[in-house]
């Protein structure tokens, strides 16, 4: 057993080292990505039950000159751990606010949702930087939603409530992303000044066929109704899922069934087309 253990160590060592080196390289390259103009905003619309577009979530992509398109799952966690997420998050918010002031969006009522990571949210001066970005871009804060995860609250209820309230006062909404996958208690939820829950894709996936998932979705909808929160179903991929949800309660739908995330410019072009029809 001892020998096997040693072999196992030898076997995994090079792979672990390669991964650590890759991570180190990506971190260094990520530091340059903003200056080198390699980051892109992708946008995925959200629709109501009548197929009307009501909002959109912005999602970060990294167009790496050599590695090609990199998805956030491969670099957002690195950014979060190294603290780069603060700069990255500012960049995303500035771009999202800039987009809101474009003629295709400025006149309408679509809400734009931006993912805000825990580290970014709790970083000193977050509220001040949000104010600066709003002033710089002229975006209407009442059209913005910040998506946060349940992990935000751990050990920091008071601070979280205070920061959220300050941003609420500007008109910004808060949405709890991936709701149900974290460990926030209902007691926390009640204290948070939030306006929306996003049902995690994992619950949506099997809800039409799995009674347990169906029950979970119903529980989330019931919590939302009691707390007067809006609901977004994320990751809706099939007609069966949409049909299941439609029998439950009014909500917004987001997922590949309706639209994939697309580059900012093609999203704006879609809005121009729609307004000409
Ligand atoms: P998320 O906030 O839960 O975003 C939803 C993810 O689901 C996105 O993945 C989206 O492309 C994907 N998605 C949308 N519809 C469907 C569907 O019907 N089926 C499936 N299978 N997937 C769908 P993406 O763009 O790869 O982003 C992954 C995660 O990276 C996000 O999860 C979010 O946690 C993080 N992220 C993305 N952009 C940002 C950002 O600007 N800031 C921060 N802090 N995190 C971000
Ligand atoms: Ca999100
Ligand atoms: Ca989500
Ligand atoms: Ca999710």
């Amino acid at each position: 057993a001892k020998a096997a253990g040693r072999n196992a160590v030898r076997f995994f060592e090079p792979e672990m080292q390669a991964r650590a080196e890759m991570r180190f390289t990506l971190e260094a390259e990520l530091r340059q990505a903003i200056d080198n103009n390699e980051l892109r905003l992708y946008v995925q619309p959200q629709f109501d039950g009548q197929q009307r577009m009501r909002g959109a979530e912005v999602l970060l992509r990294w167009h790496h000159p050599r590695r090609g398109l990199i998805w956030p799952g491969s670099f957002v966690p690195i950014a979060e751990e190294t603290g780069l997420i603060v700069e990255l998050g500012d960049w995303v918010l500035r771009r999202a606010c800039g987009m809101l002031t474009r003629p295709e969006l400025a006149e309408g009522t679509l809400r734009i949702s931006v993912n805000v990571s825990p580290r970014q949210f709790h970083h000193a001066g977050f509220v001040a930087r949000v104010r600066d970005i709003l002033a710089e871009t002229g975006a209407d804060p009442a059209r913005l939603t910040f998506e946060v995860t349940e992990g935000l609250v751990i050990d920091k209820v008071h601070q979280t409530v205070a920061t959220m309230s300050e941003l609420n006062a500007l008109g910004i909404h808060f949405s709890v992303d991936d709701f149900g996958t974290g460990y926030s208690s209902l007691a926390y939820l009640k204290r948070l000044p939030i306006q929306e829950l996003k049902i995690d894709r994992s619950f949506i996936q099997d809800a039409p066929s799995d009674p347990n998932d169906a029950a979970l979705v119903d529980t989330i909808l019931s919590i939302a109704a009691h707390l007067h929160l809006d609901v977004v179903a994320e990751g809706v991929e099939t007609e069966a899922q949409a049909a299941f949800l439609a029998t439950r309660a009014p909500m917004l739908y987001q997922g590949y069934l309706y639209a994939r995330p697309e580059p900012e410019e093609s999203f704006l072009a879609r809005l121009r087309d729609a307004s000409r029809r």
Side-chain angles (χ1 to χ4, degrees):
K2 212 170 181 186
R6 241 198 328 261
N7 280 340
V9 167
R10 252 186 236 127
F11 180 76
F12 282 114
E13 238 173 23
E15 191 189 311
M16 276 171 63
Q17 191 174 339
R19 212 186 297 164
E21 276 166 14
M22 180 63 182
R23 208 191 147 78
F24 190 74
T25 308
L26 272 188
E27 182 190 331
E29 291 174 348
L30 192 53
R31 287 184 192 280
Q32 307 296 322
I34 296 181
D35 290 340
N36 294 349
N37 198 23
E38 293 166 9
L39 298 178
R40 300 283 182 276
L41 221 57
Y42 276 52
V43 186
Q44 185 180 34
Q46 301 170 335
F47 300 90
D48 65 17
Q50 284 72 49
Q51 314 275 0
R52 284 180 302 226
M53 198 193 293
R54 291 302 196 84
E57 177 180 7
V58 303
L59 295 156
L60 192 55
R61 298 284 181 270
W62 181 5
H63 281 225
H64 193 286
R66 280 172 296 108
R67 301 180 205 279
L69 181 71
I70 307 183
W71 293 67
S74 308
F75 66 90
V76 164
I78 298 178
E80 174 80 15
E81 275 168 44
T82 55
L84 272 174
I85 196 70
V86 173
E87 202 185 327
L88 236 57
D90 279 358
W91 184 89
V92 171
L93 183 61
R94 190 172 292 111
R95 285 296 291 261
C97 286
M99 188 173 81
L100 256 176
T101 65
R102 299 276 295 262
E104 295 88 340
L105 273 166
E107 296 307 309
T109 57
L110 293 187
R111 302 194 63 83
I112 296 297
S113 295
V114 178
N115 293 286
V116 174
S117 89
R119 181 130 181 205
Q120 183 190 356
F121 180 92
H122 289 299
H123 193 261
F126 177 60
V127 175
R129 283 200 317 283
V130 172
R131 285 181 195 278
D132 284 349
I133 290 171
L134 288 169
E136 226 176 86
T137 57
D140 177 5
R143 304 269 303 277
L144 276 178
T145 297
F146 285 172
E147 295 191 4
V148 296
T149 50
E150 293 164 84
L152 195 72
V153 202
I154 299 173
D155 297 335
K156 293 180 178 149
V157 192
H158 186 75
Q159 189 190 329
T160 303
V161 171
T163 303
M164 280 186 173
S165 301
E166 272 188 84
L167 293 165
N168 265 179
L170 299 176
I172 296 173
H173 284 190
F174 278 92
S175 177
V176 181
D177 207 352
D178 304 334
F179 185 72
T181 61
Y183 22 11
S184 77
S185 74
L186 293 179
Y188 280 164
L189 201 63
K190 196 181 67 176
R191 290 181 54 189
L192 294 182
I194 55 173
Q195 286 72 39
E196 180 184 281
L197 297 182
K198 279 190 99 166
I199 309 177
D200 190 64
R201 178 165 67 92
S202 59
F203 303 126
I204 305 289
Q205 228 162 14
D206 299 324
S209 57
D210 182 337
N212 290 326
D213 281 331
L216 274 167
V217 168
D218 284 336
T219 303
I220 294 172
L221 290 173
S222 145
I223 293 168
H226 280 105
L227 299 177
H228 307 291
L229 303 175
D230 297 329
V231 175
V232 178
E234 75 169 18
V236 182
E237 291 181 345
T238 68
E239 293 289 354
Q241 291 161 357
F244 168 88
L245 295 169
T247 63
R248 298 328 225 232
M251 67 184 86
L252 296 186
Y253 300 80
Q254 181 181 352
Y256 293 169
L257 178 63
Y258 310 96
R260 292 190 175 248
E262 61 188 328
E264 185 180 352
E265 285 307 325
S266 72
F267 172 73
L268 291 171
R270 176 210 286 266
L271 293 180
R272 284 195 295 275
D273 283 353
S275 72
R276 268 201 293 273
R277 263 190 238 114

